[in-house]
Amino acid sequence: GGQRRQMATLAPGETGHYSLDATSCLTQRYLHVELWDTGREAELGYAGKADPMLMLRPLRQPEAVYNQYSPAKWDWTPFTLTDLAGYRLLRSYHHVTLDLRGCSGSHFYSECQQGGQVASTLEGCRIDQQSGSFVIGVYNVDIFLAYPLTFQLRATCSMTPPCPAPDVDGREC
């Protein structure tokens, strides 16, 4: 399991930042962060649907800026992980997985502390230099839809690749 946060609500255009001490995960391999849009209506269509974007960044707050000229249509702060498919498809469940084994892996993230400074390159980074401090960002995007977002978050760590659990009641796949 993991620790499920209480439900929170964000107004359209608001970003919530949540500190995550995942130091205990550094002995594991994967960090998995999940978001459930619990306020979503079950009906089809866009009426009443919020437009959440889940982000994860080591050490600092993740941010996203809409950029119509970017291939992804978004620009993110460096080393930010996001569930872009979940966002684009307006899913009620978003998740990001980070392989904590490291800096030389073929993963989206690696940001290590070196002498109190944040390294911006992967070179010279080792697992024992990694910090377990992350910031989860939840952005209730209001560019195309503008409804309040009520959601829950969960963060877990494991030695095996995590399985998405789209059921908010906690049933695992």
Side-chain angles (χ1 to χ4, degrees):
Q3 193 167 23
R4 179 82 54 101
R5 293 184 178 265
Q6 295 296 318
M7 277 196 261
T9 301
L10 295 174
E14 188 177 5
T15 301
H17 292 105
Y18 309 92
S19 296
L20 175 62
D21 180 359
T23 304
S24 63
C25 286
L26 294 179
T27 60
Q28 302 286 314
R29 173 133 191 202
Y30 297 97
L31 172 62
H32 190 215
V33 177
E34 301 168 282
L35 174 144
W36 288 268
D37 179 350
T38 57
R40 181 168 294 198
E41 298 294 328
E43 63 192 54
L44 296 175
Y46 298 118
K49 287 186 180 179
D51 196 7
M53 181 182 290
L54 174 65
M55 300 174 284
L56 178 67
R57 186 178 187 210
L59 306 174
R60 298 180 182 164
Q61 292 184 350
E63 301 293 340
V65 176
Y66 183 72
N67 176 355
Q68 66 179 350
Y69 302 108
S70 166
K73 302 294 184 204
W74 289 93
D75 293 327
W76 292 274
T77 44
F79 307 107
T80 297
L81 279 173
T82 188
D83 182 354
L84 191 56
Y87 168 76
R88 286 183 173 158
L89 297 173
L90 287 173
R91 292 180 182 151
S92 60
Y93 171 76
H94 293 228
H95 69 109
V96 292
T97 301
L98 173 61
D99 185 340
L100 294 165
R101 290 292 164 99
C103 300
S104 60
S106 59
H107 306 286
F108 299 104
Y109 143 81
S110 189
E111 184 164 313
C112 301
Q113 287 185 320
Q114 297 177 343
Q117 299 297 313
V118 176
S120 60
T121 68
L122 307 183
E123 296 163 14
C125 181
R126 297 188 325 234
I127 188 69
D128 62 357
Q129 294 172 305
Q130 285 185 322
S131 166
S133 297
F134 295 87
V135 180
I136 300 168
V138 179
Y139 178 21
N140 185 9
V141 180
D142 63 348
I143 295 170
F144 306 106
L145 302 171
Y147 296 98
L149 170 65
T150 301
F151 64 96
Q152 285 184 312
L153 291 172
R154 179 172 70 175
T156 55
C157 46
S158 65
M159 287 300 291
T160 57
C163 183
D167 190 325
V168 73
D169 294 327
R171 287 180 285 207
E172 303 291 331
C173 52

mmCIF file with all atom_site columns, all heavy atoms in Angstrom, residues 25-31 98-107 109-110 125-128 130 158-159:
data_model
loop_
_atom_site.group_PDB
_atom_site.id
_atom_site.type_symbol
_atom_site.label_atom_id
_atom_site.label_alt_id
_atom_site.label_comp_id
_atom_site.label_asym_id
_atom_site.label_entity_id
_atom_site.label_seq_id
_atom_site.pdbx_PDB_ins_code
_atom_site.Cartn_x
_atom_site.Cartn_y
_atom_site.Cartn_z
_atom_site.occupancy
_atom_site.B_iso_or_equiv
_atom_site.pdbx_formal_charge
_atom_site.auth_seq_id
_atom_site.auth_comp_id
_atom_site.auth_asym_id
_atom_site.auth_atom_id
_atom_site.pdbx_PDB_model_num
ATOM 1   N N   . CYS A 1 25  ? 12.106 5.265  0.223   1.00 0.00 ? 25  CYS A N   1
ATOM 2   C CA  . CYS A 1 25  ? 12.011 4.632  -1.101  1.00 0.00 ? 25  CYS A CA  1
ATOM 3   C C   . CYS A 1 25  ? 13.372 4.452  -1.766  1.00 0.00 ? 25  CYS A C   1
ATOM 4   O O   . CYS A 1 25  ? 13.482 3.708  -2.737  1.00 0.00 ? 25  CYS A O   1
ATOM 5   C CB  . CYS A 1 25  ? 11.123 5.453  -2.026  1.00 0.00 ? 25  CYS A CB  1
ATOM 6   S SG  . CYS A 1 25  ? 9.369  5.333  -1.656  1.00 0.00 ? 25  CYS A SG  1
ATOM 7   N N   . LEU A 1 26  ? 14.388 5.128  -1.264  1.00 0.00 ? 26  LEU A N   1
ATOM 8   C CA  . LEU A 1 26  ? 15.696 5.049  -1.917  1.00 0.00 ? 26  LEU A CA  1
ATOM 9   C C   . LEU A 1 26  ? 16.304 3.659  -1.815  1.00 0.00 ? 26  LEU A C   1
ATOM 10  O O   . LEU A 1 26  ? 17.216 3.317  -2.552  1.00 0.00 ? 26  LEU A O   1
ATOM 11  C CB  . LEU A 1 26  ? 16.647 6.101  -1.352  1.00 0.00 ? 26  LEU A CB  1
ATOM 12  C CG  . LEU A 1 26  ? 16.245 7.554  -1.641  1.00 0.00 ? 26  LEU A CG  1
ATOM 13  C CD1 . LEU A 1 26  ? 17.244 8.515  -1.001  1.00 0.00 ? 26  LEU A CD1 1
ATOM 14  C CD2 . LEU A 1 26  ? 16.118 7.823  -3.130  1.00 0.00 ? 26  LEU A CD2 1
ATOM 15  N N   . THR A 1 27  ? 15.809 2.834  -0.889  1.00 0.00 ? 27  THR A N   1
ATOM 16  C CA  . THR A 1 27  ? 16.266 1.452  -0.812  1.00 0.00 ? 27  THR A CA  1
ATOM 17  C C   . THR A 1 27  ? 15.442 0.549  -1.728  1.00 0.00 ? 27  THR A C   1
ATOM 18  O O   . THR A 1 27  ? 15.753 -0.619 -1.897  1.00 0.00 ? 27  THR A O   1
ATOM 19  C CB  . THR A 1 27  ? 16.168 0.922  0.629   1.00 0.00 ? 27  THR A CB  1
ATOM 20  O OG1 . THR A 1 27  ? 14.803 0.982  1.047   1.00 0.00 ? 27  THR A OG1 1
ATOM 21  C CG2 . THR A 1 27  ? 17.042 1.741  1.568   1.00 0.00 ? 27  THR A CG2 1
ATOM 22  N N   . GLN A 1 28  ? 14.391 1.085  -2.291  1.00 0.00 ? 28  GLN A N   1
ATOM 23  C CA  . GLN A 1 28  ? 13.543 0.369  -3.234  1.00 0.00 ? 28  GLN A CA  1
ATOM 24  C C   . GLN A 1 28  ? 13.981 0.750  -4.643  1.00 0.00 ? 28  GLN A C   1
ATOM 25  O O   . GLN A 1 28  ? 14.994 1.407  -4.827  1.00 0.00 ? 28  GLN A O   1
ATOM 26  C CB  . GLN A 1 28  ? 12.073 0.743  -3.010  1.00 0.00 ? 28  GLN A CB  1
ATOM 27  C CG  . GLN A 1 28  ? 11.573 0.471  -1.606  1.00 0.00 ? 28  GLN A CG  1
ATOM 28  C CD  . GLN A 1 28  ? 11.353 -1.005 -1.352  1.00 0.00 ? 28  GLN A CD  1
ATOM 29  O OE1 . GLN A 1 28  ? 10.767 -1.693 -2.165  1.00 0.00 ? 28  GLN A OE1 1
ATOM 30  N NE2 . GLN A 1 28  ? 11.847 -1.482 -0.228  1.00 0.00 ? 28  GLN A NE2 1
ATOM 31  N N   . ARG A 1 29  ? 13.190 0.404  -5.630  1.00 0.00 ? 29  ARG A N   1
ATOM 32  C CA  . ARG A 1 29  ? 13.561 0.760  -6.988  1.00 0.00 ? 29  ARG A CA  1
ATOM 33  C C   . ARG A 1 29  ? 12.643 1.802  -7.595  1.00 0.00 ? 29  ARG A C   1
ATOM 34  O O   . ARG A 1 29  ? 13.088 2.680  -8.331  1.00 0.00 ? 29  ARG A O   1
ATOM 35  C CB  . ARG A 1 29  ? 13.560 -0.494 -7.869  1.00 0.00 ? 29  ARG A CB  1
ATOM 36  C CG  . ARG A 1 29  ? 13.785 -0.157 -9.328  1.00 0.00 ? 29  ARG A CG  1
ATOM 37  C CD  . ARG A 1 29  ? 14.773 -1.001 -9.995  1.00 0.00 ? 29  ARG A CD  1
ATOM 38  N NE  . ARG A 1 29  ? 15.124 -0.455 -11.289 1.00 0.00 ? 29  ARG A NE  1
ATOM 39  C CZ  . ARG A 1 29  ? 15.633 -1.159 -12.246 1.00 0.00 ? 29  ARG A CZ  1
ATOM 40  N NH1 . ARG A 1 29  ? 15.872 -2.435 -12.085 1.00 0.00 ? 29  ARG A NH1 1
ATOM 41  N NH2 . ARG A 1 29  ? 15.954 -0.589 -13.383 1.00 0.00 ? 29  ARG A NH2 1
ATOM 42  N N   . TYR A 1 30  ? 11.335 1.705  -7.339  1.00 0.00 ? 30  TYR A N   1
ATOM 43  C CA  . TYR A 1 30  ? 10.371 2.567  -8.016  1.00 0.00 ? 30  TYR A CA  1
ATOM 44  C C   . TYR A 1 30  ? 9.588  3.427  -7.032  1.00 0.00 ? 30  TYR A C   1
ATOM 45  O O   . TYR A 1 30  ? 9.185  2.968  -5.969  1.00 0.00 ? 30  TYR A O   1
ATOM 46  C CB  . TYR A 1 30  ? 9.364  1.726  -8.817  1.00 0.00 ? 30  TYR A CB  1
ATOM 47  C CG  . TYR A 1 30  ? 10.006 0.930  -9.915  1.00 0.00 ? 30  TYR A CG  1
ATOM 48  C CD1 . TYR A 1 30  ? 10.343 -0.400 -9.721  1.00 0.00 ? 30  TYR A CD1 1
ATOM 49  C CD2 . TYR A 1 30  ? 10.294 1.510  -11.148 1.00 0.00 ? 30  TYR A CD2 1
ATOM 50  C CE1 . TYR A 1 30  ? 10.940 -1.140 -10.728 1.00 0.00 ? 30  TYR A CE1 1
ATOM 51  C CE2 . TYR A 1 30  ? 10.891 0.777  -12.150 1.00 0.00 ? 30  TYR A CE2 1
ATOM 52  C CZ  . TYR A 1 30  ? 11.223 -0.548 -11.944 1.00 0.00 ? 30  TYR A CZ  1
ATOM 53  O OH  . TYR A 1 30  ? 11.817 -1.271 -12.938 1.00 0.00 ? 30  TYR A OH  1
ATOM 54  N N   . LEU A 1 31  ? 9.351  4.660  -7.427  1.00 0.00 ? 31  LEU A N   1
ATOM 55  C CA  . LEU A 1 31  ? 8.441  5.566  -6.737  1.00 0.00 ? 31  LEU A CA  1
ATOM 56  C C   . LEU A 1 31  ? 7.253  5.776  -7.664  1.00 0.00 ? 31  LEU A C   1
ATOM 57  O O   . LEU A 1 31  ? 7.431  6.112  -8.837  1.00 0.00 ? 31  LEU A O   1
ATOM 58  C CB  . LEU A 1 31  ? 9.129  6.900  -6.428  1.00 0.00 ? 31  LEU A CB  1
ATOM 59  C CG  . LEU A 1 31  ? 8.243  8.010  -5.876  1.00 0.00 ? 31  LEU A CG  1
ATOM 60  C CD1 . LEU A 1 31  ? 7.622  7.608  -4.536  1.00 0.00 ? 31  LEU A CD1 1
ATOM 61  C CD2 . LEU A 1 31  ? 9.054  9.300  -5.735  1.00 0.00 ? 31  LEU A CD2 1
ATOM 62  N N   . LEU A 1 98  ? 8.765  6.645  -11.246 1.00 0.00 ? 98  LEU A N   1
ATOM 63  C CA  . LEU A 1 98  ? 10.162 7.049  -11.322 1.00 0.00 ? 98  LEU A CA  1
ATOM 64  C C   . LEU A 1 98  ? 11.033 5.874  -10.904 1.00 0.00 ? 98  LEU A C   1
ATOM 65  O O   . LEU A 1 98  ? 10.836 5.294  -9.831  1.00 0.00 ? 98  LEU A O   1
ATOM 66  C CB  . LEU A 1 98  ? 10.406 8.230  -10.384 1.00 0.00 ? 98  LEU A CB  1
ATOM 67  C CG  . LEU A 1 98  ? 11.849 8.670  -10.211 1.00 0.00 ? 98  LEU A CG  1
ATOM 68  C CD1 . LEU A 1 98  ? 12.441 9.126  -11.529 1.00 0.00 ? 98  LEU A CD1 1
ATOM 69  C CD2 . LEU A 1 98  ? 11.942 9.767  -9.179  1.00 0.00 ? 98  LEU A CD2 1
ATOM 70  N N   . ASP A 1 99  ? 11.976 5.491  -11.754 1.00 0.00 ? 99  ASP A N   1
ATOM 71  C CA  . ASP A 1 99  ? 12.948 4.462  -11.414 1.00 0.00 ? 99  ASP A CA  1
ATOM 72  C C   . ASP A 1 99  ? 14.070 5.148  -10.638 1.00 0.00 ? 99  ASP A C   1
ATOM 73  O O   . ASP A 1 99  ? 14.840 5.930  -11.196 1.00 0.00 ? 99  ASP A O   1
ATOM 74  C CB  . ASP A 1 99  ? 13.474 3.800  -12.685 1.00 0.00 ? 99  ASP A CB  1
ATOM 75  C CG  . ASP A 1 99  ? 14.406 2.636  -12.394 1.00 0.00 ? 99  ASP A CG  1
ATOM 76  O OD1 . ASP A 1 99  ? 14.951 2.563  -11.275 1.00 0.00 ? 99  ASP A OD1 1
ATOM 77  O OD2 . ASP A 1 99  ? 14.587 1.803  -13.294 1.00 0.00 ? 99  ASP A OD2 1
ATOM 78  N N   . LEU A 1 100 ? 14.145 4.858  -9.363  1.00 0.00 ? 100 LEU A N   1
ATOM 79  C CA  . LEU A 1 100 ? 15.113 5.522  -8.493  1.00 0.00 ? 100 LEU A CA  1
ATOM 80  C C   . LEU A 1 100 ? 16.538 5.014  -8.668  1.00 0.00 ? 100 LEU A C   1
ATOM 81  O O   . LEU A 1 100 ? 17.453 5.547  -8.063  1.00 0.00 ? 100 LEU A O   1
ATOM 82  C CB  . LEU A 1 100 ? 14.691 5.335  -7.028  1.00 0.00 ? 100 LEU A CB  1
ATOM 83  C CG  . LEU A 1 100 ? 13.394 6.028  -6.661  1.00 0.00 ? 100 LEU A CG  1
ATOM 84  C CD1 . LEU A 1 100 ? 12.873 5.496  -5.333  1.00 0.00 ? 100 LEU A CD1 1
ATOM 85  C CD2 . LEU A 1 100 ? 13.577 7.528  -6.596  1.00 0.00 ? 100 LEU A CD2 1
ATOM 86  N N   . ARG A 1 101 ? 16.737 4.010  -9.506  1.00 0.00 ? 101 ARG A N   1
ATOM 87  C CA  . ARG A 1 101 ? 18.062 3.462  -9.678  1.00 0.00 ? 101 ARG A CA  1
ATOM 88  C C   . ARG A 1 101 ? 18.913 4.337  -10.549 1.00 0.00 ? 101 ARG A C   1
ATOM 89  O O   . ARG A 1 101 ? 20.045 4.055  -10.818 1.00 0.00 ? 101 ARG A O   1
ATOM 90  C CB  . ARG A 1 101 ? 18.007 2.058  -10.284 1.00 0.00 ? 101 ARG A CB  1
ATOM 91  C CG  . ARG A 1 101 ? 17.467 1.065  -9.333  1.00 0.00 ? 101 ARG A CG  1
ATOM 92  C CD  . ARG A 1 101 ? 18.451 0.871  -8.187  1.00 0.00 ? 101 ARG A CD  1
ATOM 93  N NE  . ARG A 1 101 ? 17.824 0.209  -7.082  1.00 0.00 ? 101 ARG A NE  1
ATOM 94  C CZ  . ARG A 1 101 ? 17.917 -1.063 -6.827  1.00 0.00 ? 101 ARG A CZ  1
ATOM 95  N NH1 . ARG A 1 101 ? 18.604 -1.848 -7.598  1.00 0.00 ? 101 ARG A NH1 1
ATOM 96  N NH2 . ARG A 1 101 ? 17.307 -1.564 -5.787  1.00 0.00 ? 101 ARG A NH2 1
ATOM 97  N N   . GLY A 1 102 ? 18.356 5.275  -11.070 1.00 0.00 ? 102 GLY A N   1
ATOM 98  C CA  . GLY A 1 102 ? 19.249 6.237  -11.350 1.00 0.00 ? 102 GLY A CA  1
ATOM 99  C C   . GLY A 1 102 ? 19.470 7.017  -12.537 1.00 0.00 ? 102 GLY A C   1
ATOM 100 O O   . GLY A 1 102 ? 18.790 7.080  -13.485 1.00 0.00 ? 102 GLY A O   1
ATOM 101 N N   . CYS A 1 103 ? 20.553 7.639  -12.230 1.00 0.00 ? 103 CYS A N   1
ATOM 102 C CA  . CYS A 1 103 ? 20.983 8.745  -13.040 1.00 0.00 ? 103 CYS A CA  1
ATOM 103 C C   . CYS A 1 103 ? 21.412 8.328  -14.427 1.00 0.00 ? 103 CYS A C   1
ATOM 104 O O   . CYS A 1 103 ? 21.332 9.109  -15.351 1.00 0.00 ? 103 CYS A O   1
ATOM 105 C CB  . CYS A 1 103 ? 22.116 9.434  -12.328 1.00 0.00 ? 103 CYS A CB  1
ATOM 106 S SG  . CYS A 1 103 ? 21.608 10.048 -10.729 1.00 0.00 ? 103 CYS A SG  1
ATOM 107 N N   . SER A 1 104 ? 21.872 7.114  -14.577 1.00 0.00 ? 104 SER A N   1
ATOM 108 C CA  . SER A 1 104 ? 22.338 6.700  -15.896 1.00 0.00 ? 104 SER A CA  1
ATOM 109 C C   . SER A 1 104 ? 21.261 5.927  -16.642 1.00 0.00 ? 104 SER A C   1
ATOM 110 O O   . SER A 1 104 ? 21.482 5.483  -17.759 1.00 0.00 ? 104 SER A O   1
ATOM 111 C CB  . SER A 1 104 ? 23.584 5.830  -15.761 1.00 0.00 ? 104 SER A CB  1
ATOM 112 O OG  . SER A 1 104 ? 23.279 4.683  -14.988 1.00 0.00 ? 104 SER A OG  1
ATOM 113 N N   . GLY A 1 105 ? 20.097 5.764  -16.031 1.00 0.00 ? 105 GLY A N   1
ATOM 114 C CA  . GLY A 1 105 ? 19.018 5.019  -16.667 1.00 0.00 ? 105 GLY A CA  1
ATOM 115 C C   . GLY A 1 105 ? 18.366 5.807  -17.779 1.00 0.00 ? 105 GLY A C   1
ATOM 116 O O   . GLY A 1 105 ? 18.627 6.991  -17.986 1.00 0.00 ? 105 GLY A O   1
ATOM 117 N N   . SER A 1 106 ? 17.498 5.148  -18.489 1.00 0.00 ? 106 SER A N   1
ATOM 118 C CA  . SER A 1 106 ? 16.823 5.790  -19.610 1.00 0.00 ? 106 SER A CA  1
ATOM 119 C C   . SER A 1 106 ? 15.493 6.373  -19.152 1.00 0.00 ? 106 SER A C   1
ATOM 120 O O   . SER A 1 106 ? 14.462 6.146  -19.752 1.00 0.00 ? 106 SER A O   1
ATOM 121 C CB  . SER A 1 106 ? 16.593 4.778  -20.728 1.00 0.00 ? 106 SER A CB  1
ATOM 122 O OG  . SER A 1 106 ? 15.805 3.708  -20.237 1.00 0.00 ? 106 SER A OG  1
ATOM 123 N N   . HIS A 1 107 ? 15.534 7.118  -18.064 1.00 0.00 ? 107 HIS A N   1
ATOM 124 C CA  . HIS A 1 107 ? 14.317 7.641  -17.470 1.00 0.00 ? 107 HIS A CA  1
ATOM 125 C C   . HIS A 1 107 ? 14.267 9.148  -17.633 1.00 0.00 ? 107 HIS A C   1
ATOM 126 O O   . HIS A 1 107 ? 15.233 9.792  -17.986 1.00 0.00 ? 107 HIS A O   1
ATOM 127 C CB  . HIS A 1 107 ? 14.230 7.216  -16.011 1.00 0.00 ? 107 HIS A CB  1
ATOM 128 C CG  . HIS A 1 107 ? 14.368 5.729  -15.875 1.00 0.00 ? 107 HIS A CG  1
ATOM 129 N ND1 . HIS A 1 107 ? 13.365 4.873  -16.219 1.00 0.00 ? 107 HIS A ND1 1
ATOM 130 C CD2 . HIS A 1 107 ? 15.405 4.960  -15.505 1.00 0.00 ? 107 HIS A CD2 1
ATOM 131 C CE1 . HIS A 1 107 ? 13.770 3.633  -16.053 1.00 0.00 ? 107 HIS A CE1 1
ATOM 132 N NE2 . HIS A 1 107 ? 15.007 3.659  -15.623 1.00 0.00 ? 107 HIS A NE2 1
ATOM 133 N N   . TYR A 1 109 ? 13.874 11.454 -15.367 1.00 0.00 ? 109 TYR A N   1
ATOM 134 C CA  . TYR A 1 109 ? 14.356 12.279 -14.275 1.00 0.00 ? 109 TYR A CA  1
ATOM 135 C C   . TYR A 1 109 ? 15.706 11.847 -13.776 1.00 0.00 ? 109 TYR A C   1
ATOM 136 O O   . TYR A 1 109 ? 15.988 10.679 -13.679 1.00 0.00 ? 109 TYR A O   1
ATOM 137 C CB  . TYR A 1 109 ? 13.372 12.192 -13.117 1.00 0.00 ? 109 TYR A CB  1
ATOM 138 C CG  . TYR A 1 109 ? 14.032 12.188 -11.768 1.00 0.00 ? 109 TYR A CG  1
ATOM 139 C CD1 . TYR A 1 109 ? 14.446 13.368 -11.186 1.00 0.00 ? 109 TYR A CD1 1
ATOM 140 C CD2 . TYR A 1 109 ? 14.260 11.014 -11.107 1.00 0.00 ? 109 TYR A CD2 1
ATOM 141 C CE1 . TYR A 1 109 ? 15.059 13.360 -9.961  1.00 0.00 ? 109 TYR A CE1 1
ATOM 142 C CE2 . TYR A 1 109 ? 14.876 10.999 -9.885  1.00 0.00 ? 109 TYR A CE2 1
ATOM 143 C CZ  . TYR A 1 109 ? 15.270 12.178 -9.310  1.00 0.00 ? 109 TYR A CZ  1
ATOM 144 O OH  . TYR A 1 109 ? 15.883 12.169 -8.102  1.00 0.00 ? 109 TYR A OH  1
ATOM 145 N N   . SER A 1 110 ? 16.510 12.795 -13.468 1.00 0.00 ? 110 SER A N   1
ATOM 146 C CA  . SER A 1 110 ? 17.576 12.577 -12.528 1.00 0.00 ? 110 SER A CA  1
ATOM 147 C C   . SER A 1 110 ? 18.077 13.931 -12.091 1.00 0.00 ? 110 SER A C   1
ATOM 148 O O   . SER A 1 110 ? 18.537 14.719 -12.877 1.00 0.00 ? 110 SER A O   1
ATOM 149 C CB  . SER A 1 110 ? 18.699 11.773 -13.131 1.00 0.00 ? 110 SER A CB  1
ATOM 150 O OG  . SER A 1 110 ? 19.563 11.439 -12.087 1.00 0.00 ? 110 SER A OG  1
ATOM 151 N N   . CYS A 1 125 ? 26.442 11.452 -11.295 1.00 0.00 ? 125 CYS A N   1
ATOM 152 C CA  . CYS A 1 125 ? 25.389 11.290 -10.308 1.00 0.00 ? 125 CYS A CA  1
ATOM 153 C C   . CYS A 1 125 ? 25.322 9.832  -9.881  1.00 0.00 ? 125 CYS A C   1
ATOM 154 O O   . CYS A 1 125 ? 25.317 8.941  -10.705 1.00 0.00 ? 125 CYS A O   1
ATOM 155 C CB  . CYS A 1 125 ? 24.080 11.731 -10.952 1.00 0.00 ? 125 CYS A CB  1
ATOM 156 S SG  . CYS A 1 125 ? 22.696 11.617 -9.873  1.00 0.00 ? 125 CYS A SG  1
ATOM 157 N N   . ARG A 1 126 ? 25.296 9.583  -8.596  1.00 0.00 ? 126 ARG A N   1
ATOM 158 C CA  . ARG A 1 126 ? 25.195 8.216  -8.098  1.00 0.00 ? 126 ARG A CA  1
ATOM 159 C C   . ARG A 1 126 ? 23.990 8.108  -7.179  1.00 0.00 ? 126 ARG A C   1
ATOM 160 O O   . ARG A 1 126 ? 23.523 9.092  -6.624  1.00 0.00 ? 126 ARG A O   1
ATOM 161 C CB  . ARG A 1 126 ? 26.459 7.868  -7.304  1.00 0.00 ? 126 ARG A CB  1
ATOM 162 C CG  . ARG A 1 126 ? 27.705 7.896  -8.145  1.00 0.00 ? 126 ARG A CG  1
ATOM 163 C CD  . ARG A 1 126 ? 28.870 7.351  -7.346  1.00 0.00 ? 126 ARG A CD  1
ATOM 164 N NE  . ARG A 1 126 ? 28.766 7.710  -5.934  1.00 0.00 ? 126 ARG A NE  1
ATOM 165 C CZ  . ARG A 1 126 ? 29.712 8.329  -5.260  1.00 0.00 ? 126 ARG A CZ  1
ATOM 166 N NH1 . ARG A 1 126 ? 30.824 8.659  -5.830  1.00 0.00 ? 126 ARG A NH1 1
ATOM 167 N NH2 . ARG A 1 126 ? 29.543 8.613  -3.978  1.00 0.00 ? 126 ARG A NH2 1
ATOM 168 N N   . ILE A 1 127 ? 23.543 6.887  -6.965  1.00 0.00 ? 127 ILE A N   1
ATOM 169 C CA  . ILE A 1 127 ? 22.341 6.668  -6.163  1.00 0.00 ? 127 ILE A CA  1
ATOM 170 C C   . ILE A 1 127 ? 22.498 7.217  -4.751  1.00 0.00 ? 127 ILE A C   1
ATOM 171 O O   . ILE A 1 127 ? 21.560 7.734  -4.174  1.00 0.00 ? 127 ILE A O   1
ATOM 172 C CB  . ILE A 1 127 ? 21.955 5.171  -6.137  1.00 0.00 ? 127 ILE A CB  1
ATOM 173 C CG1 . ILE A 1 127 ? 20.586 4.962  -5.470  1.00 0.00 ? 127 ILE A CG1 1
ATOM 174 C CG2 . ILE A 1 127 ? 22.999 4.325  -5.442  1.00 0.00 ? 127 ILE A CG2 1
ATOM 175 C CD1 . ILE A 1 127 ? 19.425 5.488  -6.256  1.00 0.00 ? 127 ILE A CD1 1
ATOM 176 N N   . ASP A 1 128 ? 23.712 7.174  -4.186  1.00 0.00 ? 128 ASP A N   1
ATOM 177 C CA  . ASP A 1 128 ? 23.874 7.643  -2.815  1.00 0.00 ? 128 ASP A CA  1
ATOM 178 C C   . ASP A 1 128 ? 23.849 9.166  -2.725  1.00 0.00 ? 128 ASP A C   1
ATOM 179 O O   . ASP A 1 128 ? 23.839 9.720  -1.639  1.00 0.00 ? 128 ASP A O   1
ATOM 180 C CB  . ASP A 1 128 ? 25.144 7.080  -2.179  1.00 0.00 ? 128 ASP A CB  1
ATOM 181 C CG  . ASP A 1 128 ? 26.407 7.506  -2.882  1.00 0.00 ? 128 ASP A CG  1
ATOM 182 O OD1 . ASP A 1 128 ? 26.316 8.193  -3.913  1.00 0.00 ? 128 ASP A OD1 1
ATOM 183 O OD2 . ASP A 1 128 ? 27.483 7.151  -2.393  1.00 0.00 ? 128 ASP A OD2 1
ATOM 184 N N   . GLN A 1 130 ? 21.411 10.825 -4.335  1.00 0.00 ? 130 GLN A N   1
ATOM 185 C CA  . GLN A 1 130 ? 20.042 11.245 -4.569  1.00 0.00 ? 130 GLN A CA  1
ATOM 186 C C   . GLN A 1 130 ? 19.348 11.628 -3.283  1.00 0.00 ? 130 GLN A C   1
ATOM 187 O O   . GLN A 1 130 ? 19.545 11.032 -2.243  1.00 0.00 ? 130 GLN A O   1
ATOM 188 C CB  . GLN A 1 130 ? 19.253 10.138 -5.261  1.00 0.00 ? 130 GLN A CB  1
ATOM 189 C CG  . GLN A 1 130 ? 19.610 10.002 -6.711  1.00 0.00 ? 130 GLN A CG  1
ATOM 190 C CD  . GLN A 1 130 ? 18.731 8.979  -7.398  1.00 0.00 ? 130 GLN A CD  1
ATOM 191 O OE1 . GLN A 1 130 ? 18.398 7.975  -6.811  1.00 0.00 ? 130 GLN A OE1 1
ATOM 192 N NE2 . GLN A 1 130 ? 18.379 9.259  -8.614  1.00 0.00 ? 130 GLN A NE2 1
ATOM 193 N N   . SER A 1 158 ? 8.328  0.509  -4.416  1.00 0.00 ? 158 SER A N   1
ATOM 194 C CA  . SER A 1 158 ? 8.398  -0.950 -4.556  1.00 0.00 ? 158 SER A CA  1
ATOM 195 C C   . SER A 1 158 ? 9.672  -1.347 -5.292  1.00 0.00 ? 158 SER A C   1
ATOM 196 O O   . SER A 1 158 ? 10.306 -0.524 -5.939  1.00 0.00 ? 158 SER A O   1
ATOM 197 C CB  . SER A 1 158 ? 7.180  -1.471 -5.328  1.00 0.00 ? 158 SER A CB  1
ATOM 198 O OG  . SER A 1 158 ? 7.205  -0.979 -6.654  1.00 0.00 ? 158 SER A OG  1
ATOM 199 N N   . MET A 1 159 ? 10.002 -2.628 -5.191  1.00 0.00 ? 159 MET A N   1
ATOM 200 C CA  . MET A 1 159 ? 11.148 -3.161 -5.923  1.00 0.00 ? 159 MET A CA  1
ATOM 201 C C   . MET A 1 159 ? 10.765 -3.582 -7.337  1.00 0.00 ? 159 MET A C   1
ATOM 202 O O   . MET A 1 159 ? 11.615 -3.698 -8.205  1.00 0.00 ? 159 MET A O   1
ATOM 203 C CB  . MET A 1 159 ? 11.742 -4.362 -5.187  1.00 0.00 ? 159 MET A CB  1
ATOM 204 C CG  . MET A 1 159 ? 12.503 -3.991 -3.938  1.00 0.00 ? 159 MET A CG  1
ATOM 205 S SD  . MET A 1 159 ? 13.907 -2.888 -4.245  1.00 0.00 ? 159 MET A SD  1
ATOM 206 C CE  . MET A 1 159 ? 15.019 -3.986 -5.121  1.00 0.00 ? 159 MET A CE  1
#
